[in-house]
């Protein structure tokens, strides 16, 4: 672990990634690398709106650096908007880990005892108490987990995004089979699945669920084969059909607005577990018997 963390920091130096990379004159440069830096600098402040932790300068810088390094090492896709969302669960988990270790092993800055606890981390407005080495550890660990995640779904982000397009089509086929009334209503209102499911696939429901619920969701994804690709489609189907009764009453414009802001803000972990149970059942029915997914006559 020490070796991989050190390799990450060395890579930042080799690629000349520092605070100045995302400020002032560096953002006015031309070329692909400069365009990537500028887009990351624009997207990072929009990450996890409403969560104070991700407005902390040190956290924003960590996110910018790891996203830029990943983009430089993966020129086939480069940075794509939405990737910033995918790094946030990992960054949160590893910052919590470093804070808890710091509290346990050191526990004070000067005469001031540090007692944060993981439940307060999201609302922190400063991480000045956390040594830079620990912040670097969280950033490096996030980078490697983020890289592993994208390795599994990289065709979501290459030219024309074939993987993402394929997942949307799979979702459409699933819904047609599982809830033909809802599917026919979408057809009648001329609502295309790509109009709402693109974001669901691109951001893995990061904008539809709270960060706490995303951690529960992704915990299952990490334990499932092809969790972030195949199983995610079944989860999206379960999410959509959860609101089927309400959706079938809506016009086109109302459907778009509803699906852009799903009423999940009060969802608990139990709601997510019900969603996952439904998805797991459908996966067992359909994924191992593809003939069941043939479009009904």
């Amino acid at each position: 672990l020490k070796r991989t963390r050190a390799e990450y920091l060395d890579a930042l130096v080799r690629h000349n990634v520092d605070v100045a990379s995302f400020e002032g004159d560096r953002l006015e440069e031309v070329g692909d690398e400069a365009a990537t830096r500028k887009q990351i600098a624009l997207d990072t402040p929009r990450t996890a709106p409403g969560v104070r932790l991700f407005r902390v300068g040190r956290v924003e810088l960590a996110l910018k650096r790891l996203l830029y390094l990943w983009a430089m090492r993966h020129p086939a896709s480069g940075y794509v908007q939405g990737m910033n969302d995918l790094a946030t669960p990992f960054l949160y988990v590893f910052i919590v880990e470093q804070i808890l270790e710091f509290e346990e092993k050191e526990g004070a800055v000067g005469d001031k005892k540090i007692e944060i606890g993981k439940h307060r981390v999201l609302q922190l407005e400063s991480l000045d108490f956390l040594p830079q080495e620990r912040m670097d550890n969280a950033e490096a660990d996030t980078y490697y987990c983020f890289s592993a995640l994208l390795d599994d779904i990289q065709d979501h982000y290459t030219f024309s995004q074939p993987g993402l397009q394929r997942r949307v089509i799979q979702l459409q086929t699933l819904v047609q089979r599982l809830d033909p009334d809802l599917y026919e209503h979408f057809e009648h209102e001329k609502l295309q699945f790509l109009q709402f499911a693109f974001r669901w696939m691109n951001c893995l429901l990061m904008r539809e669920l709270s960060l706490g619920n995303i951690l529960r969701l992704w915990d299952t994804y990490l334990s499932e084969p092809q969790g972030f690709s195949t199983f995610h489609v079944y989860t999206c189907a379960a999410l959509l059909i959860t609101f089927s009764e309400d959706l079938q009453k809506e016009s086109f414009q109302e459907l778009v607005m509803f699906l852009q802001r799903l009423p999940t803000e009060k969802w608990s972990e139990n709601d997510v577990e019900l969603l996952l149970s439904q998805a797991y059942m459908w996966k067992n029915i359909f994924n191992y018997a593809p003939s069941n997914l043939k479009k009904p006559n």
Side-chain angles (χ1 to χ4, degrees), residues 209-210 212-214 216-217 220 242 264 266-278:
L209 300 173
S210 68
N213 285 333
I214 283 291
R216 176 63 188 89
L217 185 74
T220 294
T242 296
T264 58
K266 293 183 180 179
W267 274 28
S268 67
E269 192 171 293
N270 288 336
D271 294 303
V272 175
E273 288 174 353
L274 288 172
L275 196 72
L276 290 167
S277 297
Q278 186 68 75

Side-chain angles (χ1 to χ4, degrees), residues 36 63 67 79 99 103 115 121 125 142 144 151 166 208-210 234 249 263 265 278:
T36 297
L63 188 57
L67 290 171
Y79 173 75
I99 288 175
E103 288 179 351
E115 291 181 311
V121 172
E125 296 181 348
T142 298
Y144 288 112
D151 283 347
R166 186 166 59 252
E208 280 62 49
L209 300 173
S210 68
Y234 289 93
K249 300 173 184 176
E265 63 275 0
Q278 186 68 75

Side-chain angles (χ1 to χ4, degrees), residues 64-83:
K64 289 173 183 176
R65 296 201 309 178
L66 70 90
L67 290 171
Y68 181 69
L69 182 61
W70 188 91
M72 293 301 97
R73 287 182 158 185
H74 297 81
S77 61
Y79 173 75
V80 176
Q81 285 182 286
M83 287 183 176

Side-chain angles (χ1 to χ4, degrees), residues 4-38:
T4 56
R5 287 170 173 172
E7 288 174 353
Y8 172 76
L9 295 177
D10 288 343
L12 290 177
V13 173
R14 289 198 305 274
H15 287 273
N16 194 28
V17 186
D18 54 23
V19 178
S21 300
F22 305 98
E23 296 178 346
D25 293 342
R26 294 292 301 277
L27 293 181
E28 300 303 320
E29 296 174 0
V30 296
D32 292 343
E33 292 185 13
T36 297
R37 287 197 304 271
K38 187 172 184 179

